Amino acid sequence: MAKLPRPEIGWLGELAVDQALVVGSGGRLIPWIPLVDAHGVDRAYCWDGVGAPSFAQIKTSGFADEEGRHRWELRVGSFAPYGQFSVVLALIDPKSNQVGDVFWRLDSTVVRRLARREYDGALRTEVYRLDASPTHDDRLAPYRCTRSTLWRGFAPAARLRPTAISQLPVLRIDQGGVYEFAMFTELLRGNHKDLLLFRPAFDIKGRDLLVQLVNSPHAIFVQIKGTAVYRGNDLIRFHVRRNTFVPAEDFWFAFHFWDQRQAAFFPECWLVPSRELALRTAHQRDSAYLTVDARLDSSSDRWSDCRYPIHDQADVLRGALHGLRAAA
C-alpha cells in the first residue's frame, strides 16, 4: 500500500482516538472538533457531552528505528502545557496504513520533562522530541495503554460524572445550521487569536459550540437557538428542550432572530447564562420545554439585560471565560 502523506496520517490518528474513546466509554465521551486547526489542539472530549472538557493534541507516528522505537515531534512554538490538556501518541503501520492497538496518554505538564528539546532543520524550528517502544520498559511506559483502555484517562472521577440524559434531540439541520454558522462567523470575526471554537463530532446533548480560552482549561458550551417567526407585533419565542437543559456555570444560550421582512438577521441577539435562564423560567410548568419570550423593542423586553449587538458576541463570551479563570 502506498505511503500516506503526513496530513492523512494525522487524520487517521485523530479518528482512531475518537473511535477508541467513544467505543471504550460506551458512548459517554463525546468528541469536539476545532473549526480551525490552531493552537496545537486537535480535539476536545466531554463526558456525557456536558462535563468539563479535556483537550488533546494527537500525534501519530509512522516511523520506527532499528530497535522498534517510535518517534513523535511537537513544535515548541505551538505547545503550551496547562490543565486538562493531554498529548495522545499513536502508532500507524506504514505498510498497512492501519492505526495499531497501542497508545500513550501524557498530561501536557509532563511533556517537557520527558521530551528532548532539539532544533529540527527540516521544520526550521525547535521541537520537543518524544520516543518510545510499544513493548519495552522505557520512560514513557507508565503512560502506555491499549485502544480499549485509553478512554479511562479522559473519564472524570466517579463522583464528578453527571447523570446521563436519557433522551436526545434531533437537529433540524436546514434550520439550526443557519443560526449556528451565523454565530460561528461572528465569533471568528471577533477573535483575537485567544479563542478556539469546537463543534461536536455528532449532534447530541443540545450543545452546539464549545469555546476555549486558548492555552487554558477554561471553556464555555453554547446552545444556539434561532427563530424567524413573529408572535404579535414584536414578540419572538424560543423553546429549550428540558431534556438537554443542565444548568452549569460553563453553559450559555445564544438566541438569534432572522427577520424575514428585512431578509437579514436582527442586529441584536440574546446571550443568557444557563443558570440565569433556569432562575427566570423556574415558574414554568411545561414538562417538555422552557420558553423564552423576547421583544424586539428593548424598552419592553424582559431579557434586555442579556441583549447584545451580534458583532459583540466574541467579547461577551471572552468576558465570561476570563470570569471563569478569575474564579478558578
Side-chain angles (χ1 to χ4, degrees):
M1 189 176 292
K3 180 177 176 59
L4 293 175
R6 289 175 65 93
E8 282 83 347
I9 289 176
W11 177 73
L12 288 175
E14 292 165 6
L15 292 183
V17 172
D18 288 348
Q19 183 182 40
L21 296 186
V22 172
V23 174
S25 67
R28 302 195 72 177
L29 276 168
I30 307 302
W32 293 72
I33 303 171
L35 294 184
V36 294
D37 184 11
H39 306 292
V41 179
D42 298 310
R43 287 292 191 277
Y45 298 100
C46 302
W47 190 259
D48 282 335
V50 299
S54 296
F55 302 96
Q57 182 173 152
I58 301 167
K59 308 298 289 186
T60 307
S61 173
F63 168 83
D65 62 20
E66 295 178 354
E67 298 179 356
R69 298 181 64 82
H70 287 254
R71 185 177 68 201
W72 302 267
E73 295 174 346
L74 289 73
R75 293 175 184 261
V76 171
S78 61
F79 180 78
Y82 51 88
Q84 296 298 111
F85 178 37
S86 301
V87 174
V88 178
L89 309 176
L91 302 181
I92 188 168
D93 181 352
K95 295 182 179 178
S96 65
N97 291 326
Q98 298 296 313
V99 178
D101 190 53
V102 180
F103 295 84
W104 291 258
R105 191 196 71 84
L106 288 68
D107 189 285
S108 62
T109 58
V110 305
V111 167
R112 291 174 177 173
R113 175 169 57 83
L114 296 172
R116 299 191 308 275
R117 182 166 176 164
E118 301 176 358
Y119 181 79
D120 189 305
L123 297 175
R124 296 184 179 180
T125 188
E126 285 192 301
V127 298
Y128 293 120
R129 183 160 288 160
L130 293 160
D131 59 82
S133 165
T135 57
H136 295 171
D137 186 14
D138 54 24
R139 298 181 72 189
L140 266 61
Y143 307 94
R144 193 167 61 219
C145 57
T146 63
R147 180 186 296 267
S148 62
T149 61
L150 177 63
W151 70 275
R152 295 175 183 169
F154 291 89
R159 65 181 183 277
L160 299 177
R161 296 177 186 174
T163 302
I165 299 171
S166 57
Q167 293 180 326
L168 305 177
V170 176
L171 173 68
R172 294 186 177 92
I173 189 75
D174 55 334
Q175 297 178 25
V178 172
Y179 300 103
E180 290 174 17
F181 281 102
M183 185 170 184
F184 297 163
T185 300
E186 289 302 329
L187 292 180
L188 289 170
R189 189 200 311 273
N191 198 353
H192 303 322
K193 297 186 178 180
D194 59 341
L195 305 178
L196 187 57
L197 312 181
F198 298 79
R199 289 199 69 187
F202 34 86
D203 181 68
I204 61 174
K205 311 299 184 184
R207 300 192 176 196
D208 305 305
L209 176 67
L210 177 66
V211 185
Q212 180 198 15
L213 186 63
V214 167
N215 294 340
S216 84
H218 305 297
I220 285 175
F221 296 93
V222 183
Q223 184 173 148
I224 303 169
K225 309 295 291 186
T227 185
V229 179
Y230 278 101
R231 295 176 181 270
N233 292 329
D234 74 337
L235 186 145
I236 54 175
R237 175 169 293 171
F238 303 93
H239 291 296
V240 175
R241 291 176 182 262
R242 287 187 182 271
N243 65 354
T244 67
F245 185 61
V246 183
E249 189 69 24
D250 62 351
F251 183 28
W252 283 56
F253 282 81
F255 300 105
H256 295 84
F257 174 62
W258 174 260
D259 190 339
Q260 298 185 75
R261 301 171 187 174
Q262 303 296 325
F265 277 98
F266 187 66
E268 295 178 305
C269 64
W270 294 260
L271 299 177
V272 185
S274 61
R275 288 183 174 174
E276 183 66 21
L277 183 65
L279 181 66
R280 298 194 191 189
T281 58
H283 63 285
Q284 297 183 13
R285 294 294 176 260
D286 189 299
S287 61
Y289 293 97
L290 299 174
T291 300
V292 174
D293 283 340
R295 292 190 177 275
L296 301 185
D297 180 357
S298 61
S299 65
S300 58
D301 183 12
R302 66 183 297 261
W303 298 92
S304 61
D305 58 324
C306 301
R307 181 169 172 158
Y308 304 93
I310 58 175
H311 298 313
D312 289 351
Q313 291 177 95
D315 288 336
V316 175
L317 294 182
R318 181 180 291 110
L321 285 164
H322 283 290
L324 290 179
R325 184 168 65 179

